[in-house]
Amino acid sequence: MRTEVAIVGAGPAGLLLSHLLGREGVDSVVVETRSREYVEARIRAGILESSTVGLLDEVGLGDRLHREGQQHRGIYLQWPGERHHLDFVELAGRSVWLYGQTELTKDLGLARDAAGQHIRYGVRDTRLHDLTTGHPYVTFTDADGGAARIDPNVVVGCDGSFGPSRAAVPDAGKQTWERTYPYAWLGILATVAPSTDELIYAWHPEGFALHSMRSASVSRLYLQVDPDTDLDEWPDERIWDALARRLGAGLEGWDLTPGPITEKSVLPMRSFVMAPMRYGRLFLAGDAAHIVPPTGAKGLNLAVADVALLAPALVALVQKNDGRLAEAYSEAALRRVWRSTHFSWWMTTMLHPNGDPFDTQLQRSQLRWVTSSRAAATGLAENYAGLPIGC
Ligand code: PHB
């Protein structure tokens, strides 16, 4: 198969890239190891920054998001006895939108269907070849077992942390930075109306808790747990008890309504950055190049911002043979990546007790500061609601 851009991975980054390229008349082929059903059901965070929403609107992908998503002005930050609302609109002039990654992925899939884009799901043994030559290529086994090959101008890795793209960059061609946190999140999806209008981030001596949601009738909640947690030790009742204790601590007149749990999983917490986000004719976007812990919901937004920078760079490269934006891509993307990496580390270390009494006092002091100083609250709001793409 000849094409201009081979895209490895049909998550939100790969699908959005193919959409943006298609709008400019640049042809792409997308390969994905998972099935379409799996990709569209994969539960991830659900907060879109204002610039993510702005981009989706601009490229005709915002209709359902505006109809079914919820605009949130801010978040609640709390610790036992105190709950404070931070109003991002007032502080930073921007809001966020609650819209699950599953929903965005479905919208992207339908938009690609409408454009006649063929996406090869269920492929195996994807391999990237000759990336530093003028003729890179990708081989794979298609869903029917046939050997296949793509001959593109450039390859883009949108295949996450464990895909073949990052692994195709030799150690000598990359620098990496990593932080593993000594805790994890136990996440649940429950069929029950949220007990709050906006997200609650709760510090508690027993551990962090987060009350998020997906719709008026579906709640998403998280509990800080040990990384080696066995889900069998967390029957539903224990989860709801811990959530009620951590989220309701010292707050008169607020109750958490429990409901049937439909999904339960343990999420590791890790920060990772690889630079540069390019190796010869391979460009990396989203989780293939960087991972953030979920606190602050930056992962999907970073992937969108990468692709928003990469699409015009690839259009200039393949249509005009102008490589200037492609040359600048990695550095420009990494500026935002490090801002989000810092912000999600900062939120994470502020909110998760780690058993160290000194750190506990620092966390309590920091929480008081961001909820009482307008300058500090504005810093949080600016980062959470997101900087304009390209900054
Ligand atoms: C979620 O709704 O899944 C979510 C929201 C905010 C976060 C993390 C996860 O910081």
Side-chain angles (χ1 to χ4, degrees):
M1 274 169 281
R2 290 218 141 265
T3 186
E4 273 151 346
V5 182
I7 300 174
V8 184
L15 292 175
L16 180 60
L17 179 62
S18 141
H19 182 81
L20 298 179
L21 293 174
R23 281 170 60 87
E24 300 298 325
V26 172
D27 183 56
S28 62
V29 172
V30 187
V31 293
E32 164 65 49
T33 47
R34 306 286 190 168
S35 68
R36 181 164 182 164
E37 296 66 42
Y38 179 94
V39 172
E40 291 184 349
R42 192 158 54 183
I43 298 166
R44 292 288 184 273
I47 293 285
L48 303 181
E49 294 176 3
S50 63
S51 54
T52 299
V53 174
L55 173 81
L56 295 172
D57 283 342
E58 240 174 72
V59 299
L61 291 165
D63 289 357
R64 192 160 74 95
L65 146 64
H66 284 280
R67 265 199 327 274
E68 296 176 22
Q70 293 171 32
Q71 188 165 21
H72 284 195
R73 290 183 67 96
I75 57 166
Y76 296 96
L77 265 187
Q78 72 169 53
W79 58 91
E82 290 192 40
R83 178 177 291 172
H84 298 266
H85 187 249
L86 298 190
D87 187 321
F88 302 158
V89 177
E90 196 192 304
L91 291 163
R94 299 191 285 280
S95 63
V96 293
W97 281 78
L98 185 106
Y99 194 60
Q101 176 168 324
T102 46
E103 303 317 301
L104 180 59
T105 309
K106 284 181 215 154
D107 295 347
L108 284 162
L110 290 175
R112 296 321 293 139
D113 291 345
Q117 172 84 41
H118 188 51
I119 299 167
R120 278 138 200 282
Y121 288 98
V123 309
R124 282 176 289 122
D125 306 325
T126 308
R127 293 212 173 86
L128 285 56
H129 310 266
D130 292 358
L131 297 168
T132 54
T133 73
H135 301 283
Y137 65 101
V138 176
T139 55
F140 61 93
T141 307
D142 69 23
D144 301 328
R149 168 173 167 149
I150 312 171
D151 286 278
N153 237 317
V154 294
V155 181
V156 183
C158 299
D159 49 344
S161 244
F162 305 106
S165 300
R166 187 197 296 167
V169 183
D171 286 347
K174 64 187 172 202
Q175 195 174 357
T176 62
W177 296 264
E178 189 163 12
R179 171 72 41 100
T180 304
Y181 301 89
Y183 28 75
W185 280 9
L186 191 167
I188 61 160
L189 202 60
T191 316
V192 59
S195 302
T196 179
D197 57 343
E198 297 193 338
L199 273 59
I200 306 171
Y201 288 80
W203 183 97
H204 189 277
E206 249 182 51
F208 168 72
L210 170 61
H211 190 331
S212 182
M213 59 200 79
R214 284 294 175 271
S215 68
S217 54
V218 176
S219 297
R220 177 91 173 132
L221 298 107
Y222 300 95
L223 281 171
Q224 176 186 344
V225 293
D226 287 333
D228 57 4
T229 290
D230 181 355
L231 278 177
D232 288 345
E233 287 169 20
W234 284 88
D236 296 5
E237 203 180 301
R238 181 176 176 204
I239 294 175
W240 286 115
D241 282 352
L243 285 167
R245 228 173 16 253
R246 296 184 195 184
L247 288 164
L251 298 166
E252 292 298 320
W254 184 84
D255 273 322
L256 177 66
T257 312
I261 295 178
T262 54
E263 196 264 351
K264 215 189 266 191
S265 55
V266 176
L267 292 66
M269 309 268 288
R270 193 161 74 96
S271 298
F272 174 91
V273 180
M274 169 187 148
M277 289 167 58
R278 173 183 189 174
Y279 176 66
R281 296 246 175 165
L282 168 68
F283 295 83
L284 298 178
D287 287 4
H290 41 72
I291 296 291
V292 287
T295 332
K298 287 292 164 209
L300 172 59
N301 293 291
L302 265 187
V304 168
D306 285 353
V307 162
L309 286 177
L310 187 54
L314 297 183
V315 172
L317 186 68
V318 304
Q319 285 183 344
K320 303 198 189 102
N321 201 23
D322 176 354
R324 282 174 299 174
L325 286 176
E327 286 299 328
Y329 166 67
S330 176
E331 212 182 303
L334 282 164
R335 270 201 297 276
R336 189 191 196 83
V337 167
W338 276 114
R339 177 89 304 282
S340 292
T341 299
H342 173 262
F343 177 67
S344 46
W345 166 86
W346 181 83
M347 285 283 278
T348 300
T349 50
M350 171 169 75
L351 287 163
H352 295 73
N354 61 8
D356 181 324
F358 182 77
D359 287 349
T360 298
Q361 295 306 322
L362 294 183
Q363 290 172 338
R364 301 289 298 253
S365 171
Q366 193 179 327
L367 281 163
R368 257 186 206 292
W369 179 53
V370 292
T371 50
S372 60
S373 149
R374 189 173 172 98
T378 303
L380 189 154
E382 211 172 80
N383 280 281
Y384 195 113
L387 300 164
I389 287 174
C391 291

